[in-house]
Amino acid sequence: MKTRIAAVSIIVENANSVEKVNNTLHDYRNYIIGRMGIPYHKRGISIICVVMDAPNDVISALSGKLGMIPDVTAKSVYSKLFISDETKEMD
């Protein structure tokens, strides 16, 4: 299966949505390489960046599920390079 690297940027505009975001990210933990969260107290929002190594459909599914949570916006940026499972095993 071919995978690619993607960064999913998430903006949470209501603290009541944080638990749903965290639960959704937990469901995709096997694909997540790293995560950075920044609380922006001045505006009362949180910004999260998640880096993934996953197939296109998994990345799209995560971004879509996050975007359906109230007061949450999610957008994905994909690398152009695809990597097959055989290539990953050589690392």
Side-chain angles (χ1 to χ4, degrees):
M1 181 183 308
K2 291 186 177 183
T3 66
R4 63 200 299 192
I5 303 299
V8 181
S9 296
I10 308 158
I11 297 177
V12 182
E13 297 176 340
N14 185 331
N16 294 330
S17 298
V18 171
E19 186 175 354
K20 288 182 182 178
V21 169
N22 285 330
N23 289 339
T24 303
L25 292 174
H26 179 75
D27 292 342
Y28 289 83
R29 67 190 173 278
N30 293 333
Y31 299 102
I32 294 175
I33 299 169
R35 168 183 170 166
M36 175 180 62
I38 303 168
Y40 189 18
H41 300 292
K42 181 178 177 181
R43 299 241 180 174
I45 64 172
S46 296
I47 301 108
I48 303 167
C49 181
V50 175
V51 179
M52 304 176 70
D53 186 356
N56 277 348
D57 58 339
V58 172
I59 299 165
S60 295
L62 173 61
S63 187
K65 286 180 182 179
L66 290 167
M68 292 187 334
I69 299 171
D71 302 313
V72 175
T73 304
K75 300 291 179 186
S76 299
V77 178
Y78 296 81
S79 69
K80 294 180 182 176
L81 177 66
F82 282 93
I83 301 170
S84 65
D85 285 341
E86 296 83 29
T87 306
K88 282 190 208 179
E89 292 173 6
M90 295 174 66
D91 292 342

